[in-house]
Amino acid sequence: MKLRSVNPATLEVISELETTPVDEVFEISKKAQEAFKKWSSTTIDDRLKLLKKAKEILYETKDEVAKLITLENGKPILESYSMEIFPTLDLFDFHIKNAKKVLKPRKVRSQIPLFWLKRNYIHFEPLGVVAVISPWNYPLLLPIAPIISALVAGNCVIFKPSEYTSLIGLKIFEIFKEAGFPENVFNIVIGFGDVGEALVNSEVDKISFTGSTKTGRIIMQNASKKPIPVTLELGGKDPMIVFDDVDIDLASSAAVWGAFANAGQTCVSVEICYVHEKIFEPFIEKVVEKTKKLKIGNGLDPDVEIGPINNEKQLKIIENQIQDAISKGAKVLTGGKRIFPKDKEGNELRGYFFEPAVITDVNNSMLLMKEETFGPILPIVRFKSEEEVIEMANSSEYGLSASVWTRDKKRAQRVVEKIKSGSVLVNECVVHYGDAKAPCGGVKSSGFGRVHSEFGIYDMVNVKFESFDFISPYRLWWFGYDAKLLETIKNAINFLYSPSFVQRLKSAPSLAINLFRKNESKV
């Protein structure tokens, strides 16, 4: 079957690709399992050498990769560098500098004195073959995080990019292949939902999925049949809370960028803006003014700030949410419709362009207030009190990210602690996903598990406890139960855990006498 890669700005076909046959997906997983036997026994130093080489290749080809991202995804070329290349190189750096320390075995001493002769360790073992399934909105950054974490921990990887950004997926595969990763250690499958379903049901030991909540639930159901662990980074309805003590110019600029960067197709974007009633009108005025100034067009133009929606399916979701909101009384202050901008030569672009929309008079009956929009729509809601806005922000079934805007440090801390979300930023938004040391993931219907940071690496290992005892001649807790042993155990509990110092002293003599008696098993 053929898959067409389309430029969403011009609707021109960039390339036609052969999809991976479903039965071949299962063969790839078997080969990866074989490769894992050898790859998992390599040293972390050897893995890091290959990772360094992959980073060098990405750096050397960054211009080519950035252009390809803009061609196939549609985002402005500046964002291809700032929101894809830049943080991806930082992810490589983080793993290269920290993975060895993170994965180093740890010696653990028991809290219980009876176990002090044992030697205990925590080891981090690779899981096996990891399936990485990623979306089209950040086709470089989003898959790279779990891919790197999995590989450096000693896992093999099978990567399925979105059918809308398969060329970028193939470019990632080429980079790792050129870096020298052994055959069948890093694999790629290309195709539609049937290929993804085959991958989930193939011989994999872990699934890392980024995408819609609906698909995430299906993947989790399939994974539960084996069962195998899954990491799910799903939808979000990320709130931005703006209190009345902010710099309105600064906060309004944040709202416009947070809502409309990558044409709103960002997991941790600003999906709803809650604004205190005292500054509601001037804030909206600023947001509308700045939104109207945004330049829409082909992302290859360095002056363009808003590129096209990536695909027609997503465009229709956005249009449907707008129409639903209008039919229920929402007021569109600017934008909110498909447009056909002109390029520098005056030619009309027939791609999936949608004018960023600022909307008020919204309510929770509207789709854009309940469902993830994933497009350039910014509903703005008025609130009166801190308690009210916290309740509003937490009313969503999602909990991926949030931001709080205030100059009051105590208020900021109070609100941050009460927001139910995987991350909360104060006087900033979105950018934490570009920080390799910031663990990213959600709660509630936004998923579970983490990418980035040491927690992203731990997400790709089995945390194994190992205990060795070559000294103790016998164990007090073995069979040979009798009244005397019962009294010894009671005295041990009193000595170790009684809140009374006197009680501890009283239990010490009897405990000392009986502690090292040898039990004779009755069985």
Side-chain angles (χ1 to χ4, degrees):
M1 183 184 293
K2 292 280 187 180
L3 181 155
R4 296 197 311 167
S5 173
V6 176
N7 182 339
T10 64
L11 304 190
E12 294 173 344
V13 176
I14 305 170
S15 179
E16 288 193 351
L17 308 170
E18 288 288 345
T19 60
T20 307
V22 168
D23 56 351
E24 194 174 310
V25 175
F26 293 94
E27 289 302 315
I28 290 170
S29 70
K30 289 178 182 178
K31 291 178 181 178
Q33 289 288 356
E34 285 298 313
F36 171 70
K37 295 174 184 177
K38 186 175 181 180
W39 175 248
S40 60
S41 64
T42 59
T43 67
I44 192 168
D45 288 324
D46 289 338
R47 295 176 217 150
L48 289 174
K49 285 178 184 176
L50 296 176
L51 207 62
K52 289 177 185 176
K53 182 61 179 175
K55 177 203 166 186
E56 290 170 6
I57 295 169
L58 175 60
Y59 177 78
E60 291 163 1
T61 60
K62 60 185 180 297
D63 295 335
E64 175 191 346
V65 175
K67 184 178 180 180
L68 181 59
I69 291 171
T70 294
L71 281 172
E72 196 174 38
N73 167 269
K75 69 183 58 179
I77 190 69
L78 191 148
E79 290 180 2
S80 290
Y81 281 98
S82 65
M83 301 179 81
E84 296 263 23
I85 301 290
F86 195 120
T88 298
L89 288 170
D90 192 55
L91 276 169
F92 272 103
D93 257 7
F94 171 81
H95 285 78
I96 291 166
K97 293 175 181 177
N98 297 284
K100 189 172 183 179
K101 179 181 178 182
V102 169
L103 294 170
K104 184 179 179 180
R106 299 175 189 176
K107 189 173 182 179
V108 182
R109 188 183 188 191
S110 175
Q111 288 194 139
I112 302 173
L114 295 174
F115 296 166
W116 281 356
L117 293 179
K118 300 180 185 295
R119 293 294 175 262
N120 302 328
Y121 302 89
I122 294 175
H123 276 251
F124 303 101
E125 294 184 340
L127 297 168
V129 177
V130 177
V132 175
I133 305 173
S134 67
W136 43 262
N137 59 321
Y138 286 85
L140 177 68
L141 176 62
L142 291 183
I144 280 290
I147 286 171
I148 293 177
S149 292
L151 290 173
V152 79
N155 300 286
C156 291
V157 171
I158 306 175
F159 168 40
K160 185 203 173 294
S162 166
E163 60 268 31
Y164 296 111
T165 50
S166 294
L167 287 178
I168 301 163
L170 285 169
K171 187 61 184 176
I172 293 171
F173 175 71
E174 290 171 10
I175 288 171
F176 281 86
K177 185 177 181 180
E178 187 180 340
F181 279 81
E183 189 175 4
N184 301 320
V185 167
F186 181 53
N187 311 270
I188 189 169
V189 293
I190 299 294
F192 300 94
D194 59 336
V195 174
E197 184 180 3
L199 177 57
V200 168
N201 292 308
S202 68
E203 294 187 27
V204 296
D205 303 288
K206 159 91 182 190
I207 301 169
S208 178
F209 171 77
T210 305
S212 72
T213 299
K214 179 181 178 181
T215 304
R217 287 177 175 141
I218 295 170
I219 286 174
M220 189 163 66
Q221 288 171 355
N222 281 307
S224 69
K225 296 172 185 176
K226 299 185 181 182
I228 57 173
V230 295
T231 296
L232 301 176
E233 186 184 319
L234 308 176
K237 202 66 193 171
D238 308 324
M240 174 180 180
I241 300 171
V242 184
F243 286 97
D244 58 344
D245 62 342
V246 300
D247 178 330
I248 294 177
D249 189 57
L250 176 70
S252 60
S253 291
V256 172
W257 181 76
F260 302 142
N262 195 27
Q265 301 164 112
T266 301
C267 306
V268 293
S269 66
V270 173
E271 285 255 341
I272 303 175
C273 191
Y274 296 102
V275 180
H276 194 276
E277 60 181 2
K278 288 184 180 179
I279 61 167
F280 189 76
E281 298 301 336
F283 183 87
I284 284 180
E285 185 179 332
K286 284 281 188 182
V287 168
V288 170
E289 176 190 342
K290 292 173 181 180
T291 300
K292 288 180 176 179
K293 292 179 180 179
L294 295 172
K295 184 174 180 180
I296 305 168
N298 191 325
L300 291 176
D301 179 348
D303 296 329
V304 161
E305 294 161 306
I306 305 292
I309 304 305
N310 178 260
N311 56 80
E312 187 177 18
K313 180 182 177 182
Q314 187 59 36
L315 177 65
K316 288 180 178 178
I317 291 172
I318 297 165
E319 289 177 326
N320 183 51
Q321 286 198 9
I322 284 280
Q323 292 306 314
D324 173 77
I326 292 172
S327 71
K328 294 174 180 175
K331 184 178 180 181
V332 180
L333 303 183
T334 186
K337 61 183 182 296
R338 185 176 181 179
I339 62 170
F340 302 96
K342 293 182 178 180
D343 61 19
K344 287 184 175 180
E345 287 73 39
N347 302 311
E348 191 174 69
L349 296 168
R350 304 300 297 176
Y352 305 125
F353 293 95
F354 192 86
E355 215 171 18
V358 179
I359 305 179
T360 57
D361 296 345
V362 293
N363 60 64
N364 288 338
S365 73
M366 300 173 185
L367 293 176
L368 62 79
M369 293 295 288
K370 295 186 293 184
E371 300 177 2
E372 183 178 44
T373 300
F374 226 56
I377 300 177
L378 178 59
I380 303 181
V381 180
R382 186 193 310 260
F383 75 88
K384 294 181 180 180
S385 68
E386 185 177 310
E387 293 73 19
E388 179 190 32
V389 75
I390 290 170
E391 184 176 349
M392 293 166 103
N394 286 337
S395 66
S396 171
E397 69 168 297
Y398 298 104
L400 188 58
S401 183
S403 66
V404 178
W405 297 77
T406 180
R407 291 174 176 173
D408 186 330
K409 293 180 181 179
K410 290 184 178 180
R411 172 198 279 159
Q413 190 64 48
R414 285 195 308 271
V415 177
V416 164
E417 290 175 358
K418 292 178 181 178
I419 295 294
K420 297 174 183 176
S421 181
S423 58
V424 186
L425 282 64
V426 175
N427 299 329
E428 185 57 278
C429 58
V430 182
V431 296
H432 65 294
Y433 207 97
D435 184 349
K437 287 192 174 184
C440 295
V443 298
K444 300 192 284 186
S445 290
S446 290
F448 48 80
R450 293 296 180 265
V451 294
H452 301 189
S453 79
E454 66 271 28
F455 298 103
I457 299 175
Y458 292 142
D459 215 50
M460 294 296 178
V461 296
N462 170 40
V463 181
K464 183 178 181 181
F465 177 75
E466 300 173 356
S467 182
F468 300 84
D469 192 332
F470 296 106
I471 300 174
S472 304
Y474 58 89
R475 314 294 188 270
L476 182 67
W477 43 92
W478 285 358
F479 283 131
Y481 297 173
D482 56 24
K484 198 170 185 180
L485 178 58
L486 176 60
E487 189 64 24
T488 302
I489 294 297
K490 285 183 176 181
N491 282 321
I493 292 172
N494 290 333
F495 181 74
L496 291 172
Y497 306 115
S498 173
S500 167
F501 181 70
V502 173
Q503 180 67 40
R504 291 188 180 191
L505 287 177
K506 285 181 178 180
S507 62
S510 177
L511 176 62
I513 293 170
N514 296 304
L515 186 59
F516 297 105
R517 79 181 186 93
K518 187 170 183 178
N519 296 42
E520 295 297 332
S521 177
K522 299 173 184 177
V523 296

